[in-house]
Amino acid sequence: MITKRLILRPWTTSEATAVLDDTHSAHWADDFPAEGDRVIAGLLDQHPAWLGAYGHRLIIERESSLVVGSIGLFWPPSEGVLEIGYGIVASRRGRSYAPEATQALTEFALTAPDVHTVSANVELSNPSSIRVLEKAGFHRWAAEENTARFRITRPDPERR
């Protein structure tokens, strides 16, 4: 998947292993992987479907060809809902890469069979992540103690 400034491509098993082994690739930004990327790399072995078409992807900056983060859908959907998660390394934050990637993967996810909603849960103490979701077109629909819940729902063609 290609956006204006990014390439979103599935992780490989060898990349997940390299993250877990602390082996740095020349194709990664100096501060990749972040802690969230290490968590995802560990989960990929337990959830092989996350390596599939609707799973987790590395975020590659087209200009430099470096991996600058990751984004993913937590497959399979539950009652038509998929959760999305994302992270950009500190050196590339503030460039609107996260909303660009989130919007692209969300649009793709909503084309999947049996998916009508993409959701995300964000800690209220993380206003940057809240802005990412708002810029990507998500709407806050619920809040709990310390968490806001956001979602985008595919337009129902029968309601038009």
Side-chain angles (χ1 to χ4, degrees):
M1 177 176 314
I2 297 175
T3 70
K4 183 178 179 184
R5 299 174 300 153
L6 306 170
I7 298 169
L8 309 178
R9 71 157 174 78
W11 286 71
T12 65
T13 304
S14 62
E15 288 165 331
T17 300
V19 165
L20 294 174
D21 291 344
D22 283 327
T23 304
H24 194 271
S25 167
H27 301 288
W28 297 350
D30 288 342
D31 50 349
F32 182 86
E35 186 55 37
D37 304 310
R38 287 183 184 87
V39 170
I40 294 301
L43 291 170
L44 290 174
D45 187 49
Q46 299 168 30
H47 302 279
W50 290 5
L51 292 168
Y54 295 100
H56 284 261
R57 290 176 163 66
L58 294 171
I59 300 172
I60 301 164
E61 184 179 56
R62 289 177 65 184
E63 185 178 327
S64 68
S65 299
L66 296 175
V67 174
V68 298
S70 63
I71 187 167
L73 301 165
F74 295 92
W75 196 261
S78 173
E79 297 179 14
V81 179
L82 271 178
E83 185 175 349
I84 194 168
Y86 48 84
I88 300 290
V89 295
S91 66
R92 298 308 198 279
R93 291 184 190 147
R95 300 179 187 194
S96 294
Y97 286 170
E100 184 175 329
T102 300
Q103 184 175 18
L105 192 58
T106 297
E107 289 172 1
F108 175 71
L110 291 174
T111 68
D114 303 323
V115 174
H116 58 74
T117 300
V118 178
S119 70
N121 297 326
V122 181
E123 292 180 16
L124 294 173
S125 62
N126 189 349
S128 296
S129 194
I130 290 171
R131 280 193 303 278
V132 164
L133 293 169
E134 290 170 346
K135 285 181 179 180
F138 281 68
H139 304 283
R140 184 186 306 214
W141 66 278
E144 295 163 6
E145 267 185 50
N146 300 316
T147 305
R149 300 177 74 185
F150 287 80
R151 68 181 175 195
I152 285 183
T153 301
R154 179 176 56 216
D156 184 349
E158 294 177 12
R159 287 187 174 168
R160 290 184 182 171

